[in-house]
Amino acid sequence: MSNEILESDMRNKPFGTRLRAAMDARGPLCVGIDPHQHLLDSWGLPDTAEGLASFTYGVVDALADRVAVFKPQSAFFERFGSAGIAVLEQATIRLREAGALVIIDAKRGDIGTTMAGYASAYLSEKGPLACDALTVSPYLGFGSLQPAIDEAREAGAGLFVLALTSNPEGPQFQSARTADGSTVAGAVLDGLRELNAGADDLGSFGAVVGATISSTEENLDIKGPLLAPGLGAQGGTAEGLTKVFGTAVRNVVPSSSREILGAGPDAKALQEAAERANDAYRAVLGY
């Protein structure tokens, strides 16, 4: 499917519909753009805003028209201040112009007008950092996400809500029990399932579920996308996705960063690394 078809047919569709179409066309791989210092070093670039720009645009130029989804980690751009945010803004524009979808990984979470401000910046069609989806934190209560939910619906954008993260501290909150006996993670998944009710195929409200959690008793069938970081250098494998996600594996968005970016700065090497990873995920996820 060409970029023109993706853009003309999908422009006004909800995020979940656009995501499924993009993964059908290009494969399910999500490339994480995580320009930490050691990656800049490995590319022979200085740890400066200029080095950040060279790295980021090198990834964009090599992969933007080949990969379905990109996930820039906002923190690695924010550390360079306004110059870094400008790189993130331009990269997001260029990726989307090439027909790719962009999930900005910022894990925003707050209440009321503050959350509405974040939503306006990232999810509004006219926002300065307008992207296709945003990662958010539900730990001020699932209801605190409502301004972002409303903005996402209006703009046709999506959210990925932290649910079962792979960091060792995560279970302290995520496995805690609520008043009705469910886990916090389970309550988050229930909330997402309700938001996605009525979607034809894939809803626009997804969960972040680490690819390295081994297994879970939670019901991951939320009729929405499941962003799975932790693949490649962090230990998660394509073959392990079925064990973690079970019958919901078709809705997984497998995210890998160093496995791909470590092949740079040569554009062909980046493309070959992305193709290898994408082929492995295609086989497991059924694309």
Side-chain angles (χ1 to χ4, degrees), residues 118-136:
Y118 286 135
S120 178
Y122 291 99
L123 299 172
S124 169
E125 293 179 6
K126 295 182 179 180
L129 286 161
C131 57
D132 297 285
L134 176 69
T135 61
V136 293

Side-chain angles (χ1 to χ4, degrees), residues 192-275:
L192 292 169
R193 193 175 295 109
E194 183 175 342
L195 291 176
N196 290 323
D200 291 336
D201 176 18
L202 193 66
S204 297
F205 299 97
V208 179
V209 179
T212 57
I213 65 170
S214 298
S215 64
T216 180
E217 295 182 359
E218 304 289 356
N219 180 8
L220 298 179
D221 186 5
I222 60 169
K223 205 172 184 180
L226 300 162
L227 181 63
L231 291 156
Q234 295 182 53
T237 65
E239 296 75 17
L241 291 174
T242 301
K243 181 179 179 182
V244 175
F245 293 94
T247 58
V249 73
R250 169 77 174 166
N251 295 338
V252 168
V253 183
S255 180
S256 180
S257 176
R258 281 173 285 174
E259 176 186 22
I260 313 299
L261 306 183
D266 181 72
K268 184 177 180 180
L270 283 168
Q271 292 164 359
E272 290 174 347
E275 184 175 358

